[in-house]
PDB file of all heavy atoms in Angstrom:
ATOM      1  N   ALA C 107      -6.941  -9.583   3.080  1.00 93.00           N
ATOM      2  CA  ALA C 107      -7.860  -8.503   2.724  1.00 93.00           C
ATOM      3  C   ALA C 107      -7.685  -8.180   1.246  1.00 93.00           C
ATOM      4  O   ALA C 107      -6.571  -8.290   0.713  1.00 93.00           O
ATOM      5  CB  ALA C 107      -7.582  -7.265   3.577  1.00 93.00           C
ATOM      6  N   PRO C 108      -8.759  -7.785   0.555  1.00 90.00           N
ATOM      7  CA  PRO C 108      -8.678  -7.516  -0.889  1.00 90.00           C
ATOM      8  C   PRO C 108      -7.954  -6.219  -1.228  1.00 90.00           C
ATOM      9  O   PRO C 108      -7.431  -6.074  -2.333  1.00 90.00           O
ATOM     10  CB  PRO C 108     -10.148  -7.456  -1.315  1.00 90.00           C
ATOM     11  CG  PRO C 108     -10.878  -7.018  -0.077  1.00 90.00           C
ATOM     12  CD  PRO C 108     -10.140  -7.651   1.060  1.00 90.00           C
ATOM     13  N   THR C 109      -7.924  -5.264  -0.303  1.00 90.00           N
ATOM     14  CA  THR C 109      -7.257  -3.982  -0.522  1.00 90.00           C
ATOM     15  C   THR C 109      -6.538  -3.552   0.751  1.00 90.00           C
ATOM     16  O   THR C 109      -6.790  -4.090   1.829  1.00 90.00           O
ATOM     17  CB  THR C 109      -8.269  -2.874  -0.898  1.00 90.00           C
ATOM     18  OG1 THR C 109      -9.176  -2.680   0.195  1.00 90.00           O
ATOM     19  CG2 THR C 109      -9.052  -3.243  -2.161  1.00 90.00           C
ATOM     20  N   ARG C 110      -5.660  -2.565   0.615  1.00 91.00           N
ATOM     21  CA  ARG C 110      -4.954  -2.063   1.796  1.00 91.00           C
ATOM     22  C   ARG C 110      -5.913  -1.363   2.755  1.00 91.00           C
ATOM     23  O   ARG C 110      -5.730  -1.428   3.969  1.00 91.00           O
ATOM     24  CB  ARG C 110      -3.830  -1.111   1.378  1.00 91.00           C
ATOM     25  CG  ARG C 110      -2.627  -1.811   0.744  1.00 91.00           C
ATOM     26  CD  ARG C 110      -1.514  -0.829   0.473  1.00 91.00           C
ATOM     27  NE  ARG C 110      -0.345  -1.473  -0.126  1.00 91.00           N
ATOM     28  CZ  ARG C 110      -0.172  -1.642  -1.428  1.00 91.00           C
ATOM     29  NH1 ARG C 110      -1.100  -1.204  -2.282  1.00 91.00           N
ATOM     30  NH2 ARG C 110       0.907  -2.246  -1.893  1.00 91.00           N
ATOM     31  N   SER C 111      -6.900  -0.655   2.218  1.00 90.00           N
ATOM     32  CA  SER C 111      -7.850   0.030   3.099  1.00 90.00           C
ATOM     33  C   SER C 111      -8.671  -0.976   3.895  1.00 90.00           C
ATOM     34  O   SER C 111      -8.964  -0.755   5.079  1.00 90.00           O
ATOM     35  CB  SER C 111      -8.761   0.948   2.288  1.00 90.00           C
ATOM     36  OG  SER C 111      -9.476   0.220   1.306  1.00 90.00           O
ATOM     37  N   ALA C 112      -9.037  -2.100   3.271  1.00 92.00           N
ATOM     38  CA  ALA C 112      -9.762  -3.152   3.985  1.00 92.00           C
ATOM     39  C   ALA C 112      -8.865  -3.780   5.046  1.00 92.00           C
ATOM     40  O   ALA C 112      -9.312  -4.091   6.152  1.00 92.00           O
ATOM     41  CB  ALA C 112     -10.252  -4.215   3.008  1.00 92.00           C
ATOM     42  N   ALA C 113      -7.579  -3.947   4.710  1.00 94.00           N
ATOM     43  CA  ALA C 113      -6.629  -4.496   5.677  1.00 94.00           C
ATOM     44  C   ALA C 113      -6.456  -3.553   6.855  1.00 94.00           C
ATOM     45  O   ALA C 113      -6.380  -3.987   8.011  1.00 94.00           O
ATOM     46  CB  ALA C 113      -5.281  -4.730   4.993  1.00 94.00           C
ATOM     47  N   ARG C 114      -6.418  -2.259   6.570  1.00 94.00           N
ATOM     48  CA  ARG C 114      -6.279  -1.260   7.632  1.00 94.00           C
ATOM     49  C   ARG C 114      -7.452  -1.342   8.606  1.00 94.00           C
ATOM     50  O   ARG C 114      -7.289  -1.268   9.825  1.00 94.00           O
ATOM     51  CB  ARG C 114      -6.203   0.142   7.014  1.00 94.00           C
ATOM     52  CG  ARG C 114      -6.022   1.266   8.024  1.00 94.00           C
ATOM     53  CD  ARG C 114      -6.164   2.613   7.349  1.00 94.00           C
ATOM     54  NE  ARG C 114      -5.983   3.699   8.309  1.00 94.00           N
ATOM     55  CZ  ARG C 114      -4.923   4.480   8.376  1.00 94.00           C
ATOM     56  NH1 ARG C 114      -3.929   4.310   7.526  1.00 94.00           N
ATOM     57  NH2 ARG C 114      -4.848   5.443   9.265  1.00 94.00           N
ATOM     58  N   GLN C 115      -8.646  -1.516   8.060  1.00 94.00           N
ATOM     59  CA  GLN C 115      -9.836  -1.618   8.908  1.00 94.00           C
ATOM     60  C   GLN C 115      -9.787  -2.865   9.779  1.00 94.00           C
ATOM     61  O   GLN C 115     -10.102  -2.824  10.971  1.00 94.00           O
ATOM     62  CB  GLN C 115     -11.090  -1.626   8.040  1.00 94.00           C
ATOM     63  CG  GLN C 115     -12.381  -1.605   8.841  1.00 94.00           C
ATOM     64  CD  GLN C 115     -13.602  -1.676   7.955  1.00 94.00           C
ATOM     65  OE1 GLN C 115     -13.817  -2.657   7.250  1.00 94.00           O
ATOM     66  NE2 GLN C 115     -14.413  -0.621   7.971  1.00 94.00           N
ATOM     67  N   LEU C 116      -9.386  -3.986   9.197  1.00 96.00           N
ATOM     68  CA  LEU C 116      -9.300  -5.232   9.955  1.00 96.00           C
ATOM     69  C   LEU C 116      -8.290  -5.123  11.092  1.00 96.00           C
ATOM     70  O   LEU C 116      -8.533  -5.592  12.207  1.00 96.00           O
ATOM     71  CB  LEU C 116      -8.927  -6.386   9.021  1.00 96.00           C
ATOM     72  CG  LEU C 116     -10.014  -6.889   8.071  1.00 96.00           C
ATOM     73  CD1 LEU C 116      -9.420  -7.833   7.024  1.00 96.00           C
ATOM     74  CD2 LEU C 116     -11.120  -7.593   8.842  1.00 96.00           C
ATOM     75  N   VAL C 117      -7.156  -4.502  10.808  1.00 97.00           N
ATOM     76  CA  VAL C 117      -6.131  -4.327  11.841  1.00 97.00           C
ATOM     77  C   VAL C 117      -6.645  -3.415  12.947  1.00 97.00           C
ATOM     78  O   VAL C 117      -6.485  -3.711  14.136  1.00 97.00           O
ATOM     79  CB  VAL C 117      -4.837  -3.757  11.229  1.00 97.00           C
ATOM     80  CG1 VAL C 117      -3.842  -3.395  12.335  1.00 97.00           C
ATOM     81  CG2 VAL C 117      -4.199  -4.761  10.273  1.00 97.00           C
ATOM     82  N   SER C 118      -7.277  -2.316  12.560  1.00 96.00           N
ATOM     83  CA  SER C 118      -7.791  -1.355  13.549  1.00 96.00           C
ATOM     84  C   SER C 118      -8.838  -1.969  14.464  1.00 96.00           C
ATOM     85  O   SER C 118      -8.982  -1.572  15.625  1.00 96.00           O
ATOM     86  CB  SER C 118      -8.377  -0.133  12.843  1.00 96.00           C
ATOM     87  OG  SER C 118      -7.389   0.540  12.088  1.00 96.00           O
ATOM     88  N   HIS C 119      -9.573  -2.970  13.948  1.00 96.00           N
ATOM     89  CA  HIS C 119     -10.618  -3.626  14.731  1.00 96.00           C
ATOM     90  C   HIS C 119     -10.106  -4.829  15.522  1.00 96.00           C
ATOM     91  O   HIS C 119     -10.881  -5.673  15.970  1.00 96.00           O
ATOM     92  CB  HIS C 119     -11.760  -4.053  13.810  1.00 96.00           C
ATOM     93  CG  HIS C 119     -12.530  -2.892  13.258  1.00 96.00           C
ATOM     94  ND1 HIS C 119     -13.562  -3.045  12.362  1.00 96.00           N
ATOM     95  CD2 HIS C 119     -12.425  -1.561  13.463  1.00 96.00           C
ATOM     96  CE1 HIS C 119     -14.050  -1.859  12.047  1.00 96.00           C
ATOM     97  NE2 HIS C 119     -13.376  -0.943  12.706  1.00 96.00           N
ATOM     98  N   LYS C 120      -8.786  -4.920  15.656  1.00 96.00           N
ATOM     99  CA  LYS C 120      -8.137  -5.947  16.483  1.00 96.00           C
ATOM    100  C   LYS C 120      -8.407  -7.373  15.997  1.00 96.00           C
ATOM    101  O   LYS C 120      -8.662  -8.281  16.780  1.00 96.00           O
ATOM    102  CB  LYS C 120      -8.578  -5.817  17.947  1.00 96.00           C
ATOM    103  CG  LYS C 120      -8.201  -4.499  18.587  1.00 96.00           C
ATOM    104  CD  LYS C 120      -8.579  -4.465  20.060  1.00 96.00           C
ATOM    105  CE  LYS C 120      -8.165  -3.153  20.720  1.00 96.00           C
ATOM    106  NZ  LYS C 120      -8.505  -3.117  22.149  1.00 96.00           N
ATOM    107  N   HIS C 121      -8.327  -7.568  14.689  1.00 96.00           N
ATOM    108  CA  HIS C 121      -8.544  -8.897  14.122  1.00 96.00           C
ATOM    109  C   HIS C 121      -7.241  -9.658  13.865  1.00 96.00           C
ATOM    110  O   HIS C 121      -7.288 -10.775  13.361  1.00 96.00           O
ATOM    111  CB  HIS C 121      -9.330  -8.792  12.812  1.00 96.00           C
ATOM    112  CG  HIS C 121     -10.764  -8.374  12.999  1.00 96.00           C
ATOM    113  ND1 HIS C 121     -11.596  -8.964  13.936  1.00 96.00           N
ATOM    114  CD2 HIS C 121     -11.519  -7.437  12.375  1.00 96.00           C
ATOM    115  CE1 HIS C 121     -12.792  -8.416  13.882  1.00 96.00           C
ATOM    116  NE2 HIS C 121     -12.776  -7.477  12.942  1.00 96.00           N
ATOM    117  N   PHE C 122      -6.081  -9.040  14.192  1.00 97.00           N
ATOM    118  CA  PHE C 122      -4.808  -9.699  13.896  1.00 97.00           C
ATOM    119  C   PHE C 122      -3.884  -9.706  15.102  1.00 97.00           C
ATOM    120  O   PHE C 122      -3.946  -8.829  15.974  1.00 97.00           O
ATOM    121  CB  PHE C 122      -4.103  -8.992  12.730  1.00 97.00           C
ATOM    122  CG  PHE C 122      -4.713  -9.317  11.392  1.00 97.00           C
ATOM    123  CD1 PHE C 122      -5.693  -8.500  10.856  1.00 97.00           C
ATOM    124  CD2 PHE C 122      -4.320 -10.447  10.701  1.00 97.00           C
ATOM    125  CE1 PHE C 122      -6.275  -8.796   9.633  1.00 97.00           C
ATOM    126  CE2 PHE C 122      -4.896 -10.753   9.483  1.00 97.00           C
ATOM    127  CZ  PHE C 122      -5.870  -9.934   8.947  1.00 97.00           C
ATOM    128  N   LYS C 123      -3.032 -10.730  15.112  1.00 97.00           N
ATOM    129  CA  LYS C 123      -2.004 -10.850  16.134  1.00 97.00           C
ATOM    130  C   LYS C 123      -0.640 -10.946  15.447  1.00 97.00           C
ATOM    131  O   LYS C 123      -0.512 -11.543  14.377  1.00 97.00           O
ATOM    132  CB  LYS C 123      -2.223 -12.099  16.983  1.00 97.00           C
ATOM    133  CG  LYS C 123      -3.510 -12.084  17.807  1.00 97.00           C
ATOM    134  CD  LYS C 123      -3.643 -13.373  18.614  1.00 97.00           C
ATOM    135  CE  LYS C 123      -4.921 -13.368  19.451  1.00 97.00           C
ATOM    136  NZ  LYS C 123      -5.055 -14.611  20.228  1.00 97.00           N
ATOM    137  N   VAL C 124       0.358 -10.360  16.082  1.00 97.00           N
ATOM    138  CA  VAL C 124       1.741 -10.469  15.620  1.00 97.00           C
ATOM    139  C   VAL C 124       2.502 -11.253  16.666  1.00 97.00           C
ATOM    140  O   VAL C 124       2.611 -10.818  17.820  1.00 97.00           O
ATOM    141  CB  VAL C 124       2.388  -9.083  15.413  1.00 97.00           C
ATOM    142  CG1 VAL C 124       3.836  -9.246  14.954  1.00 97.00           C
ATOM    143  CG2 VAL C 124       1.599  -8.271  14.394  1.00 97.00           C
ATOM    144  N   ASN C 125       2.958 -12.438  16.280  1.00 97.00           N
ATOM    145  CA  ASN C 125       3.643 -13.338  17.223  1.00 97.00           C
ATOM    146  C   ASN C 125       2.784 -13.622  18.456  1.00 97.00           C
ATOM    147  O   ASN C 125       3.273 -13.661  19.584  1.00 97.00           O
ATOM    148  CB  ASN C 125       4.997 -12.747  17.638  1.00 97.00           C
ATOM    149  CG  ASN C 125       5.934 -12.568  16.464  1.00 97.00           C
ATOM    150  OD1 ASN C 125       5.928 -13.343  15.510  1.00 97.00           O
ATOM    151  ND2 ASN C 125       6.746 -11.526  16.507  1.00 97.00           N
ATOM    152  N   GLY C 126       1.469 -13.753  18.217  1.00 96.00           N
ATOM    153  CA  GLY C 126       0.554 -14.108  19.288  1.00 96.00           C
ATOM    154  C   GLY C 126       0.036 -12.950  20.120  1.00 96.00           C
ATOM    155  O   GLY C 126      -0.787 -13.156  21.015  1.00 96.00           O
ATOM    156  N   VAL C 127       0.495 -11.739  19.821  1.00 97.00           N
ATOM    157  CA  VAL C 127       0.074 -10.553  20.582  1.00 97.00           C
ATOM    158  C   VAL C 127      -0.819  -9.687  19.702  1.00 97.00           C
ATOM    159  O   VAL C 127      -0.464  -9.369  18.569  1.00 97.00           O
ATOM    160  CB  VAL C 127       1.292  -9.731  21.052  1.00 97.00           C
ATOM    161  CG1 VAL C 127       0.830  -8.498  21.819  1.00 97.00           C
ATOM    162  CG2 VAL C 127       2.209 -10.586  21.915  1.00 97.00           C
ATOM    163  N   SER C 128      -1.981  -9.295  20.221  1.00 96.00           N
ATOM    164  CA  SER C 128      -2.918  -8.475  19.459  1.00 96.00           C
ATOM    165  C   SER C 128      -2.316  -7.104  19.152  1.00 96.00           C
ATOM    166  O   SER C 128      -1.785  -6.436  20.039  1.00 96.00           O
ATOM    167  CB  SER C 128      -4.220  -8.297  20.252  1.00 96.00           C
ATOM    168  OG  SER C 128      -5.126  -7.477  19.541  1.00 96.00           O
ATOM    169  N   VAL C 129      -2.404  -6.708  17.875  1.00 97.00           N
ATOM    170  CA  VAL C 129      -1.896  -5.398  17.440  1.00 97.00           C
ATOM    171  C   VAL C 129      -2.980  -4.726  16.609  1.00 97.00           C
ATOM    172  O   VAL C 129      -3.496  -5.316  15.666  1.00 97.00           O
ATOM    173  CB  VAL C 129      -0.606  -5.539  16.593  1.00 97.00           C
ATOM    174  CG1 VAL C 129      -0.147  -4.164  16.105  1.00 97.00           C
ATOM    175  CG2 VAL C 129       0.494  -6.227  17.386  1.00 97.00           C
ATOM    176  N   ASN C 130      -3.314  -3.492  16.963  1.00 96.00           N
ATOM    177  CA  ASN C 130      -4.349  -2.766  16.219  1.00 96.00           C
ATOM    178  C   ASN C 130      -3.834  -1.455  15.628  1.00 96.00           C
ATOM    179  O   ASN C 130      -4.573  -0.508  15.413  1.00 96.00           O
ATOM    180  CB  ASN C 130      -5.563  -2.492  17.107  1.00 96.00           C
ATOM    181  CG  ASN C 130      -5.257  -1.531  18.238  1.00 96.00           C
ATOM    182  OD1 ASN C 130      -4.111  -1.407  18.677  1.00 96.00           O
ATOM    183  ND2 ASN C 130      -6.273  -0.847  18.719  1.00 96.00           N
ATOM    184  N   ILE C 131      -2.525  -1.408  15.379  1.00 96.00           N
ATOM    185  CA  ILE C 131      -1.891  -0.220  14.794  1.00 96.00           C
ATOM    186  C   ILE C 131      -1.497  -0.539  13.352  1.00 96.00           C
ATOM    187  O   ILE C 131      -0.555  -1.308  13.119  1.00 96.00           O
ATOM    188  CB  ILE C 131      -0.648   0.194  15.607  1.00 96.00           C
ATOM    189  CG1 ILE C 131      -1.026   0.428  17.068  1.00 96.00           C
ATOM    190  CG2 ILE C 131      -0.005   1.446  15.007  1.00 96.00           C
ATOM    191  CD1 ILE C 131       0.160   0.674  17.970  1.00 96.00           C
ATOM    192  N   PRO C 132      -2.185   0.017  12.369  1.00 96.00           N
ATOM    193  CA  PRO C 132      -1.886  -0.284  10.957  1.00 96.00           C
ATOM    194  C   PRO C 132      -0.448   0.009  10.548  1.00 96.00           C
ATOM    195  O   PRO C 132       0.111  -0.678   9.691  1.00 96.00           O
ATOM    196  CB  PRO C 132      -2.870   0.617  10.191  1.00 96.00           C
ATOM    197  CG  PRO C 132      -3.997   0.824  11.134  1.00 96.00           C
ATOM    198  CD  PRO C 132      -3.371   0.904  12.494  1.00 96.00           C
TER     199      PRO C 132
END
Side-chain angles (χ1 to χ4, degrees):
T109 63
R110 287 185 180 88
S111 59
R114 181 188 180 107
Q115 185 183 63
L116 287 169
V117 172
S118 298
H119 291 177
K120 298 184 178 181
H121 290 312
F122 284 93
K123 295 180 180 180
V124 179
N125 299 327
V127 179
S128 179
V129 177
N130 66 335
I131 304 173

